Amino acid sequence: MSSTIPALPANYRTVLDVVEAAGPGTHLTAQEIWLRSRRLQPRIGFATVHRGLLRLHQLGAVMKIEVPGGASAVYEPAATPHAHFRCAGCGTIDDLAFAVPAETVKALAARLGVAIEAETITFTGRCATCASDDGLERV
Ligand SMILES: [Zn+2]
Ligand SMILES: [Zn+2]
């Protein structure tokens, strides 16, 4: 993936390395990415990491997920489109292998006369652990 990205400033490359090392399905906040980046480049600043994430997002190398109800956006390596599940109990964010079928997106765009460039789907509810905790309380 990295090899397809045009020349990046060294600091941005560090940010990309950190996100890619975390792997698909790992959702890191900018703060967490900054802390990890500092292990590779102790002098890297938070603002630089933040700018790097914006740029990498524009380039399509990093996915940004704004989670409704989540404190801050999280980032993950570019992957096939997928939805997310956020647990309202513990705040965990998990990948869900779900995407709106391409034909549906195409049909929607045609019907509305718009160009659809991205989709963001986040389901919220209770994860298995939190759901079973609730169950115990009710008994
Ligand atoms: Zn939970
Ligand atoms: Zn994800």
Side-chain angles (χ1 to χ4, degrees):
M1 199 69 211
S2 309
S3 53
T4 62
I5 303 299
L8 285 173
N11 282 333
Y12 291 5
R13 171 66 60 184
T14 300
V15 172
L16 180 59
D17 286 346
V18 166
V19 174
E20 289 193 334
T26 307
H27 308 100
L28 299 173
T29 62
Q31 179 80 16
E32 287 165 336
I33 293 166
W34 176 50
L35 292 175
R36 292 182 189 203
S37 297
R38 283 205 315 189
R39 285 184 217 147
L40 304 172
Q41 273 202 56
R43 286 177 307 145
I44 196 167
F46 180 73
T48 303
V49 168
H50 200 255
R51 275 198 307 274
L53 285 169
L54 286 178
R55 181 81 187 113
L56 291 165
H57 177 57
Q58 285 168 354
L59 291 168
V62 164
M63 289 174 37
K64 180 181 182 181
I65 307 130
E66 311 257 17
V67 182
S72 39
V74 291
Y75 301 85
E76 69 183 328
T80 47
H82 58 269
H84 291 96
F85 176 84
R86 179 178 180 276
C87 175
C90 63
T92 305
I93 298 168
D94 281 321
D95 279 352
L96 274 187
F98 172 81
V100 177
E103 315 83 70
T104 307
V105 175
K106 239 171 139 180
L108 264 177
R111 201 168 78 212
L112 299 171
V114 298
I116 295 176
E117 288 163 355
E119 72 181 57
T120 305
I121 301 172
T122 304
F123 299 93
T124 54
R126 304 245 153 207
C127 71
T129 308
C130 291
S132 66
D133 284 356
D134 281 0
L136 285 177
E137 277 166 20
R138 262 185 250 121
V139 171

